[in-house]
Amino acid sequence: MELTADQRKTQELCARLAPDLRRRALAIDADPAVMEPHFDSPTYAWYRECSMPSAYRTSGNPLITSFPDTPSMVDWIVASIEWARGDAGAVMACPGPGLAGLTVDLLSDERQKGFFYDKLADGRTWAFFAMTEPDVGSDAAHVRTRLDPVPSGGHVLNGAKRYVGNGDRGSIGVVWAKTGDHMLGMRAVLLELPAPGCVTRPLPMLGLRGARLSEMLFQDVRVPPGMLLGEHLPATRRGLWGAIRSLQSMRLMVGSLAIGTARAIWDYAREHFPHAPGAETLEDRIEAARLHALETASAIDLDPDRAHLGARVKLAGTRLAVEAGAWALSVAGPGAWTEHPLLEKWNRDARGFEFMDGTSNVQRLHIAQGHLKESGRA
Amino acid sequence: MTEPSRSVLDRCEETAYDKGFATALALVLRDVDIAAAAPGAVVGVPEGWPVAGEAVDVPLATGWNSLAFVRLPKDRPADADACAAVVPRLARARIGLLRRTLDEAVAHLSARTSVGEPLLYKQLILGSVADTVTELQTLRRHADGLLLRPRPASAAYLHARIDRLDWRVCMLFGASGYITDHPATALYLSDLVANTWVRASGEGETAWN
């Protein structure tokens, strides 16, 4: 598929910015809590700006001009792959709206949107998206965290979330919870932290440490009035629909980051081990995966109800990144990963994509169900 | 194959299963001249193993994993036969660790439910368990065969397949297996240790397909 002139500009710009992410990658991996040296990176500034809706962009960054006010999925995928060629962990460590922003854009009214994005404007504030739970994984339909109304107004939150990106350091985010045991009972609230009754801690992850995956515990956490998302929407669009749509978009993004990571590994290996066997085949596989991701994004832009297609990109992209990591360590020679710590890090990172927004088996189920539905067999 | 040789391999596997990978690695490397046998500049050994060289900082390896990586002095003698003797023993130790971790994964999946049924009984999960136990058996015999026919390319293929199985078993834990204090991270370290002892042959790519 052909990229537009602006998309090509975005691709070229991201490719120019990616080395800055790569330079920061090992420091963030070693200690993701130390982010002060990275906040003012030009790459972070650009990433933050294009992650915000145009009405909330603040810096007047001249580099942003080629990125649309309302980005399509193709725009995001073009950028994500190039960012990950720099370093996916460094991208995930960047303060900004992240996945919570997708939900806010889908479900919040203008006042909530303003509240959320104004909190992120300083470029030093992370947002969290709390969906996954210790016992039910990322199965949005079976969330156990409870959101109950209180007579004085607002709600109270009780439950536990796990593997929440930036959950330990985010100051605002979206928490998914049940208001009742029916299909329409699944709802999202905006939550500011710190809040009495909410305890968070980072989880020591093998890779993608910039994502700062965390555990969040809620015990009688008060949610003020006006923080429940989707009240202005039809009942069927207030809850589960938004969760599924957010996750489906995210799967395509995660798959694209995995493809970009595979490319980063290939770029590095090609530079340091120019005669490595299998390099040409791997390059062709990565290019095929990139085109698949772009075609999928284009299909979703035309019909957002086909967002389940993103599961294919995540399944294939994760497998590709893991295999690229194993290949690179193999061709580098015995123990050479100690001299090439980026390769070892990317080998760990590649495995992390497997667990984000549903494992490969979960993606397989989505892919099969989507295929059967579209072929009229389900 | 002589019975004593086979019996050493069996003990490497059972030790890894019963006592963990670091203890088995000590058995794998017993009486081995590390400096001569190592195919590269860095080796993975049990923590505290008597080998001259400079420690490589790999935080994940130390602590309860009890492993260490050491950068060896330059200008060492090279003994390809000594390395070839290590490779099948190391493979069987890794298979023992895989079996142990697979058992833990099965217990984990038995305790988690989805739609009222243990995750273990989902067809995709059962298929993965079945593929793993089947391949374990063939890889075990592949390792044994290296005693008779110590072919470097075949050894590299064997370890790449074990790497792949390690990853398959890790995936059974979901995100919990990606936390550094989870037993599944020992599989990742086993991959790194094997990487220091096995020279790639170019067949690694096919071993992952």
Side-chain angles (χ1 to χ4, degrees), chain A residues 134 204 206-207 330 335 337 344 348, chain B residues 71 112 174 176 178 180 188 195 200:
Chain A
L206 186 66
S330 163
W337 53 268
E344 194 277 325
R348 284 185 279 113
Chain B
R71 186 173 305 285
R112 282 177 70 95
S176 64
Y178 199 59
T180 55
Y188 180 72
N195 176 278

Side-chain angles (χ1 to χ4, degrees), chain A residues 133-137 139 142 144 162-163 203-209 213 277-279 281-282 285 318 322-323 326-327 329-331 333-339 343-345 347-355 359-362 364-365, chain B residues 38-43 56-60 69 71 112-115 124-125 128 160 163-164 166-167 170-181 185 187-188 191-205 208-209:
Chain A
E133 298 193 352
D135 294 322
V136 298
D139 184 353
H142 292 90
R144 292 179 185 171
R162 202 164 165 81
Y163 313 118
L203 298 167
M205 309 304 289
L206 186 66
L208 291 178
R209 290 176 177 155
L213 296 187
T281 304
L282 181 60
R285 291 178 62 198
T318 300
V322 170
E323 291 178 8
W327 168 80
L329 258 56
S330 163
V331 300
W337 53 268
T338 58
E339 293 161 29
L343 279 187
E344 194 277 325
K345 184 191 105 67
N347 196 43
R348 284 185 279 113
D349 288 352
R351 296 161 189 241
F353 297 118
E354 167 67 17
F355 308 114
T359 63
S360 287
N361 277 347
V362 170
R364 288 183 180 102
L365 294 175
Chain B
V42 172
V43 283
V56 178
D57 184 27
V58 182
L60 188 64
F69 292 90
R71 186 173 305 285
R112 282 177 70 95
T113 58
S114 173
V115 201
L124 286 168
I125 300 285
S128 185
D163 290 350
R164 185 172 172 276
D166 282 347
W167 172 232
C170 274
M171 286 193 284
L172 293 175
F173 290 100
S176 64
Y178 199 59
I179 296 178
T180 55
D181 55 9
T185 53
L187 294 174
Y188 180 72
D191 293 5
L192 292 183
V193 168
N195 176 278
T196 67
W197 282 104
V198 181
R199 189 174 293 282
S201 65
E203 294 185 22
E205 190 184 22
W208 272 81
N209 293 334

Side-chain angles (χ1 to χ4, degrees), chain B residues 51-116:
Chain B
V51 53
E54 179 191 344
V56 178
D57 184 27
V58 182
L60 188 64
T62 53
W64 61 270
N65 279 305
S66 303
L67 294 167
F69 292 90
V70 178
R71 186 173 305 285
L72 300 167
K74 290 178 180 167
D75 302 324
R76 296 171 287 115
D79 184 348
D81 289 344
C83 183
V86 167
V87 168
R89 282 186 254 158
L90 178 60
R92 290 290 297 274
R94 298 183 69 201
I95 287 170
L97 175 66
L98 251 171
R99 280 176 45 220
R100 174 189 171 114
T101 317
L102 177 63
D103 285 355
E104 288 167 358
V106 166
H108 167 80
L109 293 163
S110 302
R112 282 177 70 95
T113 58
S114 173
V115 201

Side-chain angles (χ1 to χ4, degrees), chain A residues 103-182:
Chain A
T103 305
V104 167
D105 293 348
L106 281 173
L107 297 183
S108 64
D109 58 31
E110 287 307 314
R111 187 193 60 79
Q112 291 166 331
K113 231 175 248 179
F115 181 77
F116 176 77
Y117 284 112
D118 285 347
K119 287 280 289 184
L120 300 172
D122 63 1
R124 281 152 167 74
T125 303
W126 288 271
F128 53 85
F129 176 89
M131 165 76 80
T132 304
E133 298 193 352
D135 294 322
V136 298
S138 59
D139 184 353
H142 292 90
V143 159
R144 292 179 185 171
T145 297
R146 296 279 317 178
L147 182 70
D148 296 305
V150 291
S152 56
H155 293 79
V156 65
L157 199 56
N158 279 286
K161 299 287 182 182
R162 202 164 165 81
Y163 313 118
V164 180
N166 295 312
D168 181 57
R169 61 185 175 189
S171 298
I172 190 163
V174 170
V175 182
W176 289 89
K178 276 280 180 71
T179 57
D181 292 330
H182 46 88

